[in-house]
Amino acid sequence: MRNYKFEISYDGTRYYGWERQPGRDTIQGKLENVLSRLDGHDVEVTGAGRTDAGVHARAMIANARLDTRFSPDEIKDYMNRYLPEDICIRKVSGASDRFHARYNALGKLYTYTCYIGKEKPVFNRKYVYVLDFEPDADAMREAAEYLVGTHDFKAYCSNPKMKKSTVRCVDSIEIADKKDYLYLNFHGNGFLQNMVRIMTGTLLEAGAGKIKPQQVGKILESLDRRNAGPTAPAHGLSLIRVDY
């Protein structure tokens, strides 16, 4: 058995997230089905994270152990031949026996994309959150400063029964407005369930003038999800990169 590393792109629109679920289409489930067919026995695929239903990925990283004579390029070709058109294997490479896609990850970059133009974004409507207002990007940047650093992000987590630590480190939040688009780039060592989408929804409230930027910090300190803004729609979020 040899350990392999996979770089994967996918359109999460029709999937119930990354993690396998009985009777539902998931990214992990599709990958394991194809690799099990290639390998002749059940294969478990481990991802760097668990994207939510409807969330996309440009470069998700995963690993799996295979007992095959196929070369990495042959494995890649086989997978792309049998995977659906909205999942693509970008790269397959041999990995050390100790490599673990999740535990060895040092950081992740997520981008949330909002559309602020006047015309309908017909051809990329499945990948952007269409806003009916133009947010104050400077107010959002000021608000985002309160979220950067190591904090307890319980107020920005959708799972109230979270038993593990809700402390995370967000290294940076970059907000860039370019023409008809507003990009929110979040980099950190890990993110809680719906954390990026809740932070996005809260920052957009600051951009709309519904809350003051400093209130974002107060929400953080409250440790109460009810105080934070709405969870932004899944389709605007993409996992861009995993760092090792």
Side-chain angles (χ1 to χ4, degrees):
M1 299 286 283
R2 185 181 179 188
N3 198 15
Y4 289 87
K5 178 181 177 182
F6 304 86
E7 183 178 316
I8 310 152
S9 294
Y10 54 84
D11 176 341
T13 302
R14 70 183 186 93
Y15 294 98
Y16 289 88
W18 167 270
E19 190 173 14
R20 79 175 78 84
Q21 300 179 47
R24 289 184 166 182
D25 284 340
T26 68
I27 304 299
Q28 184 185 35
K30 291 294 185 183
L31 295 171
E32 290 181 343
N33 286 341
V34 172
L35 283 175
S36 295
R37 191 188 315 168
L38 176 149
D39 216 41
H41 67 272
D42 289 344
V43 173
E44 181 177 353
V45 175
T46 300
R50 300 172 181 175
T51 51
D52 301 324
V55 174
H56 319 292
R58 296 280 184 93
M60 169 65 87
I61 301 298
N63 74 285
R65 299 182 184 278
L66 305 175
D67 182 14
T68 180
R69 294 182 179 179
F70 284 6
S71 70
D73 284 342
E74 289 172 330
I75 295 171
K76 174 185 173 182
D77 291 343
Y78 182 95
M79 295 180 74
N80 283 328
R81 185 180 308 123
Y82 292 106
L83 283 168
E85 61 184 3
D86 47 11
I87 303 176
C88 177
I89 305 302
R90 298 176 59 181
K91 185 177 181 180
V92 179
S93 57
S96 69
D97 191 59
R98 299 180 65 180
F99 175 74
H100 191 286
R102 182 181 176 188
Y103 295 146
N104 292 150
L106 300 176
K108 300 183 181 76
L109 173 65
Y110 281 92
T111 295
Y112 197 95
T113 305
C114 300
Y115 182 78
I116 54 177
K118 295 181 180 180
E119 297 180 354
K120 296 179 182 179
V122 174
F123 296 107
N124 62 351
R125 66 191 185 281
K126 295 190 296 182
Y127 314 105
V128 300
Y129 178 27
V130 180
L131 302 181
D132 58 4
F133 68 99
E134 186 169 345
D136 182 341
D138 287 333
M140 294 177 67
R141 293 185 186 101
E142 182 181 347
E145 292 179 6
Y146 293 94
L147 299 174
V148 175
T150 300
H151 306 287
D152 188 335
F153 284 93
K154 187 175 182 179
Y156 293 91
C157 175
S158 64
N159 184 359
K161 298 180 180 179
M162 186 80 170
K163 295 181 180 180
K164 296 182 180 180
S165 173
T166 48
V167 174
R168 295 292 186 274
C169 177
V170 175
D171 301 316
S172 65
I173 301 175
E174 177 190 12
I175 299 173
D177 44 340
K178 298 179 181 179
K179 294 185 179 180
D180 293 334
Y181 296 88
L182 183 70
Y183 301 96
L184 291 80
N185 300 309
F186 300 85
H187 189 276
N189 66 354
F191 297 92
L192 303 167
Q193 188 172 352
N194 293 154
M195 178 174 159
V196 173
R197 292 165 56 196
I198 296 170
M199 289 193 294
T200 296
T202 307
L203 292 176
L204 285 172
E205 289 209 323
K210 294 181 179 180
I211 62 173
K212 294 182 179 179
Q214 55 266 35
Q215 285 182 252
V216 172
K218 297 294 184 181
I219 294 168
L220 186 70
E221 295 172 358
S222 75
L223 304 180
D224 190 337
R225 168 67 185 96
R226 293 171 296 181
N227 294 328
T231 303
H235 64 271
L237 183 61
S238 293
L239 171 63
I240 304 300
R241 187 183 75 236
V242 182
D243 301 324
Y244 291 93

